[in-house]
Amino acid sequence: MKRTSHIPELREIIALEKEKGRKIALVPTMGFLHKGHLSLIEHAKQTDAFVVLSIFVNPLQFGPKEDLSRYPRDLERDARMVEEAGVDVLFHPMVEEMYPRPMVTFVEVSELDTMLCGATRPGHFRGVATVVSKLFHIAQPDMAFFGQKDYQQYKLIERMVIDLNLPIKIYPVPIVREEDGLAMSSRNVLLTSEQRQQAVILSKSLKAAEVSIRAGQRSAQEIERQLRERITLESDGVIDYVEIRDTDDLSKVTDIKRPILLALAVFFGKTRLIDNKVVEVDQDV
Amino acid sequence: MKRTSHIPELREIIALEKEKGRKIALVPTMGFLHKGHLSLIEHAKQTDAFVVLSIFVNPLQFGPKEDLSRYPRDLERDARMVEEAGVDVLFHPMVEEMYPRPMVTFVEVSELDTMLCGATRPGHFRGVATVVSKLFHIAQPDMAFFGQKDYQQYKLIERMVIDLNLPIKIYPVPIVREEDGLAMSSRNVLLTSEQRQQAVILSKSLKAAEVSIRAGQRSAQEIERQLRERITLESDGVIDYVEIRDTDDLSKVTDIKRPILLALAVFFGKTRLIDNKVVEVDQDV
């Protein structure tokens, strides 16, 4: 596996592969990798593409009061994991490499950037869209892989690619969960052991909501109520949002009659966790 | 010369050339071509690249009260001109090809987009940056050519390319003028013959300002005053702005001691013309 923290060197490595006719797959990450990331890599490798994995904790997508400084990092452990997983090149730039001068150019995906996580984290998705746009221009991949845990991020990037005519196919990759159901996240290590135990309520309540929908419940308001009640009663989690949205454009849903996204964000102490579940419904029920 | 109005067809044509190892040069225009555009083409051809010229009157960069509908168009005349000039492929998409669904993604180059022309034309440069970003992703050029008449646009695109790591070299091309000095512009045909005669004051006053600076005048305020006075006294033009700016970051200049940009925008009737001049000054004077 090759490793570089420099943009020109990465460009050279990729140009050589492109000359050989190789397709390029990008897996953008913020590091501190877990099985969710390994699943992204597996999906990328299945395409037979040359796999570029980037690790960059992007300051632009963190608010001034957010957890940029406490965000977990372990580059050497990450490097061993991705080498073993078969990544072809690891790109781990410093902040100065990505932002050598103050940025004045930003990519904004309006509407999609102010709802759900965007409501609590103003500027977050502008930071995401801008850095992903930079990574796309640097690596010039044919395809890029995003985890569905960050469903809104995946949809926002997909829309950016369509609107700006980026010649890149976006692949969403299903959430990978711990044995007890907790969605894999680099932030899980920030939980105390009690918070860790309680956090299982997120996936449990999503599963229960799915069961309720399958049993015929079609009121989004009622499903939201059930989710909120369960999380509040069975944990000390403080709900940021619990919402039911259209899987495609993330618009609000009242009556559940198309595939929908159950999405939630909950604070356990200072640590904010997100989870979601797509529920397909039979349109004729 | 090849011609297409479809993005996938253009991509195919360009991919074939890239496979042959050919570099791609993009000349983005709004059509109704004149000698200024021909100069862009000449500069592009000098690089031995495969030259793509786009003609697209981009609705996104026109305000609701601006001249989108009166903007002059003549595709067949343009096509003959660019074929004769040696363009390799003409790309002339319809609005529906570039904007098949409502746009939610925009590229913003903050600071540079609200000054000078951006102050009078809110949203204009967001429209420019967004459509140029789209054209860059569609044509994937190695280099792109922009006229210096739209100096602010050139600088904004240059900054966008740097900030977003686009692998494209931006070439500014000097202003081409009519014999009497009027800067070539597609909008010149919108002038009445009297306005056309009066409009020569723009280049004349810029030349006089340069002479004044060469003679030792170092006060930006005084130069601006001279420019305004001359334009107001010798024409019916209504000044939008007359400003002296740093050639690099377009910041305001008080004392003229580095290369500066004399920039102005003046209305003749409904038609708004812009012109500018870069004046190099000996730093030790």
Side-chain angles (χ1 to χ4, degrees), chain A:
Chain A
M1 184 184 73
K2 292 192 171 81
R3 280 178 67 159
T4 180
S5 55
H6 296 295
I7 294 169
E9 195 181 346
L10 180 69
R11 285 197 203 273
E12 268 175 46
I13 292 167
I14 290 171
L16 273 176
E17 296 301 320
K18 287 205 167 193
E19 271 172 38
K20 294 182 212 160
R22 204 76 193 277
K23 297 280 182 198
I24 309 297
L26 177 66
V27 180
T29 82
M30 298 211 300
F32 211 74
L33 305 175
H34 51 65
K35 286 178 189 160
H37 297 107
L38 294 181
S39 176
L40 296 177
I41 297 171
E42 272 166 41
H43 280 78
K45 285 192 65 71
Q46 276 165 21
T47 66
D48 276 330
F50 182 81
V51 179
V52 181
L53 184 133
S54 64
I55 294 179
F56 181 59
V57 183
N58 173 35
L60 207 59
Q61 72 193 63
F62 286 81
K65 288 181 185 167
E66 289 183 354
D67 58 354
L68 174 60
S69 61
R70 32 189 309 265
Y71 198 86
R73 294 163 166 88
D74 189 342
L75 180 60
E76 291 318 309
R77 196 199 63 145
D78 287 346
R80 286 191 299 275
M81 280 174 75
V82 298
E83 175 149 31
E84 202 167 312
V87 162
D88 293 295
V89 55
L90 168 60
F91 176 55
H92 51 88
M94 305 284 281
V95 171
E96 299 68 36
E97 184 79 8
M98 292 296 281
Y99 301 116
R101 57 190 283 184
M103 288 284 282
V104 301
T105 309
F106 301 98
V107 180
E108 311 234 20
V109 186
S110 54
E111 299 172 32
L112 284 175
D113 63 356
T114 47
M115 59 173 72
L116 302 175
C117 290
T120 324
R121 306 186 67 187
H124 169 66
F125 285 114
R126 188 179 81 150
V128 169
T130 303
V131 80
V132 170
S133 165
K134 284 166 72 73
L135 290 168
F136 282 175
H137 294 144
I138 291 167
Q140 297 190 65
D142 299 283
M143 57 203 102
F145 294 77
F146 291 87
Q148 273 190 290
K149 181 165 74 66
D150 302 282
Y151 194 94
Q152 184 178 7
Q153 170 178 277
Y154 142 59
K155 276 291 166 188
L156 179 128
I157 296 299
E158 188 181 65
R159 187 64 193 267
M160 174 182 88
V161 161
I162 292 169
D163 281 356
L164 297 184
N165 301 94
L166 279 152
I168 301 171
K169 186 160 166 48
I170 302 301
Y171 288 86
V173 175
I175 298 176
V176 178
R177 298 181 178 281
E178 301 284 356
E179 273 189 25
D180 65 1
L182 180 67
M184 297 269 177
S185 165
S186 305
R187 287 189 172 93
N188 290 350
V189 298
L190 300 173
L191 300 169
T192 64
S193 66
E194 199 193 337
Q195 289 167 346
R196 170 64 190 82
Q197 282 185 312
Q198 290 195 359
V200 75
I201 193 63
L202 304 186
S203 56
K204 263 195 187 161
S205 61
L206 287 171
K207 234 182 203 167
E210 185 184 22
V211 169
S212 183
I213 293 167
R214 296 238 170 281
Q217 182 55 258
R218 288 293 175 270
S219 159
Q221 202 182 1
E222 174 55 22
I223 295 291
E224 281 184 23
R225 196 196 58 73
Q226 289 175 13
L227 279 161
R228 287 177 178 276
E229 185 176 79
R230 182 112 195 237
I231 293 165
T232 309
L233 286 179
E234 297 183 28
S235 81
D236 301 323
V238 176
I239 292 172
D240 177 4
Y241 66 79
V242 169
E243 295 206 36
I244 301 192
R245 297 277 180 157
D246 183 273
T247 49
D248 187 38
D249 61 11
L250 297 185
S251 61
K252 289 211 185 206
V253 168
T254 311
D255 300 317
I256 301 172
K257 50 193 175 190
R258 295 185 308 280
I260 51 101
L261 177 78
L262 306 169
L264 51 79
V266 176
F267 281 95
F268 289 88
K270 282 186 191 172
T271 304
R272 184 173 171 278
L273 300 181
I274 57 175
D275 200 350
N276 69 71
K277 186 177 263 298
V278 171
V279 182
E280 312 272 344
V281 280
D282 188 343
Q283 306 214 4
D284 295 319
V285 166

Side-chain angles (χ1 to χ4, degrees), chain B residues 146-148 150-158 170 172:
Chain B
F146 291 86
Q148 273 191 290
D150 302 282
Y151 193 94
Q152 186 178 5
Q153 170 179 277
Y154 142 60
K155 275 291 165 188
L156 179 128
I157 297 297
E158 188 181 66
I170 302 301

Side-chain angles (χ1 to χ4, degrees), chain B residues 2 4 6-20 24 50 89 138-140:
Chain B
K2 292 192 170 81
T4 180
H6 296 295
I7 294 168
E9 195 181 345
L10 180 70
R11 286 197 202 271
E12 267 175 45
I13 293 167
I14 289 170
L16 273 175
E17 296 301 319
K18 286 205 166 191
E19 270 172 38
K20 294 183 211 157
I24 309 296
F50 181 80
V89 56
I138 292 167
Q140 296 190 66

